[in-house]
Amino acid sequence: MIFLLLSIICSVTVGVLLKLAKRYQINVMQAVTWNYLFAIGLSLFFFKPDFSSVSFSLISPVYIALGILLPIIFLFQGFAVRQAGLAKTDIAQRLSLLISLCAAYFIFNENFDRLKYVGIIFGFVAIVLTMYKKQTSSNNKYSWLYLLLVFAGFGVIDILFKLVSQLNEIPYTTALFVIFCISFVLSLAYILYLAIAKKTKIQLINFVCGCILGLFNFGNILFYLKAHRAMAENPSTVFAAMNIGVIIIGSLIGILVFKERLSKWNYTGLVFALIAIVLITLSKLHAV
């Protein structure tokens, strides 16, 4: 359970760092770029990828899609945290499991029982209630859109990672290294373009913050994989505990530390989200 707890802490910390980025005027795009450079270094140290198995002919379009999507969704997550708050963003991110479940049914032909159907219904209601907000100013009138992009983006990323796990041409850990490299190269090209065309300064503070962000982002992945390995016979427990843990801790930090305000509808959505995840988990356990 220690690996699972560490993964939850790392995941929530990423959201907190993105929340603090605006307060300390951190350039999120630059931080995200250096985050992937640091993740590459950590991948070399922990995963020790097998470069002998890598060639351009084996670079699947799935790897390229993930390499492009990861930095983009990171930016959307940063916008969502700043506009809608940490609590709502964490809930939107974790509710993206509903997209994975739909893919499991329509793409991977998984059988669903009644509990899972009911859980999905609760989940979609939770999405609507969680993203609901009466607009009081023009500054955050698009907060619902950022939340929707986080929800959809992380759902697609989850599906792509499932596809990566099914590819046997190169080891999964080596594939992850390749994906990080693609994300870094594209992100670096973009910030260099901004530096040349828009005269945006590349600052050391963004590099430092990016390394810290990369540490926790990579830690989330590393400890999540270790948790699955430690509890290999019960993966549904890992998946459900991760989602419930992030939603609860992320919401508490958002409300207590950052003084984020949730409406009654938002709190109702949070309850529906927890019910949805519990029902989906019970469905998995019942299937086992």
Side-chain angles (χ1 to χ4, degrees):
M1 291 297 291
I2 185 64
F3 292 134
L4 187 58
L5 179 61
L6 289 171
S7 181
I8 292 171
I9 292 173
C10 288
S11 180
V12 174
T13 302
V14 168
V16 172
L17 291 173
L18 292 172
K19 177 76 172 181
L20 294 173
K22 181 181 180 180
R23 179 180 299 180
Y24 295 101
Q25 298 181 334
I26 302 300
N27 186 303
V28 176
M29 187 65 234
Q30 290 185 27
V32 167
T33 300
W34 306 127
N35 146 78
Y36 287 116
L37 178 63
F38 201 68
I40 289 171
L42 291 174
S43 296
L44 288 171
F45 181 79
F46 284 104
F47 292 155
K48 295 178 175 57
D50 181 13
F51 295 108
S52 64
S53 64
V54 180
S55 66
F56 284 108
S57 62
L58 296 178
I59 302 300
S60 167
V62 177
Y63 302 157
I64 298 174
L66 269 172
I68 296 172
L69 189 56
L70 281 175
I72 292 175
I73 197 60
F74 228 136
L75 288 178
F76 287 148
Q77 185 182 10
F79 294 148
V81 167
R82 284 183 287 173
Q83 296 293 328
L86 177 63
K88 289 186 178 182
T89 304
D90 277 333
I91 295 170
Q93 178 183 346
R94 292 303 155 183
L95 281 175
S96 64
L97 71 94
L98 296 174
I99 296 178
S100 303
L101 289 173
C102 290
Y105 182 80
F106 292 107
I107 299 176
F108 302 107
N109 299 317
E110 180 180 337
N111 292 323
F112 281 21
D113 59 14
R114 291 181 181 178
L115 279 177
K116 190 168 290 185
Y117 280 120
V118 175
I120 291 175
I121 293 173
F122 270 87
F124 279 112
V125 174
I127 293 167
V128 175
L129 295 177
T130 301
M131 295 182 184
Y132 173 78
K133 181 178 178 64
K134 291 182 178 179
Q135 302 301 339
T136 56
S137 68
S138 60
N139 292 333
N140 60 1
K141 65 180 180 179
Y142 296 115
S143 61
W144 67 270
L145 178 59
Y146 292 130
L147 290 173
L148 186 61
L149 289 171
V150 167
F151 165 73
F154 276 101
V156 172
I157 285 174
D158 191 40
I159 294 172
L160 291 175
F161 270 122
K162 288 180 185 295
L163 293 173
V164 169
S165 67
Q166 294 180 343
L167 298 175
N168 300 318
E169 287 81 2
I170 60 177
Y172 177 80
T173 51
T174 304
L176 193 60
F177 173 83
V178 172
I179 291 166
F180 283 149
C181 287
I182 295 172
S183 295
F184 172 67
V185 170
L186 292 177
S187 300
L188 181 62
Y190 184 64
I191 66 169
L192 289 177
Y193 162 76
L194 292 178
I196 296 171
K198 306 294 183 181
K199 307 300 181 182
T200 303
K201 293 182 179 180
I202 298 179
Q203 298 174 307
L204 179 62
I205 184 62
N206 297 319
F207 174 79
V208 174
C209 292
C211 291
I212 298 173
L213 185 66
L215 175 64
F216 287 101
N217 187 34
F218 180 83
N220 175 33
I221 298 173
L222 177 64
F223 292 126
Y224 189 61
L225 292 174
K226 284 183 174 290
H228 269 296
R229 190 171 298 177
M231 292 183 280
E233 296 181 357
N234 202 358
S236 61
T237 300
V238 178
F239 187 73
M242 181 69 183
N243 284 278
I244 294 174
V246 169
I247 286 177
I248 293 175
I249 296 177
S251 298
L252 288 176
I253 292 177
I255 295 168
L256 299 177
V257 177
F258 294 106
K259 309 301 180 183
E260 296 175 359
R261 293 184 178 181
L262 301 183
S263 67
K264 292 181 179 179
W265 291 113
N266 299 149
Y267 280 114
T268 304
L270 175 59
V271 173
F272 271 65
L274 295 177
I275 293 174
I277 294 173
V278 169
L279 287 175
I280 292 167
T281 303
L282 289 175
S283 171
K284 291 181 179 180
L285 293 175
H286 183 264
V288 174

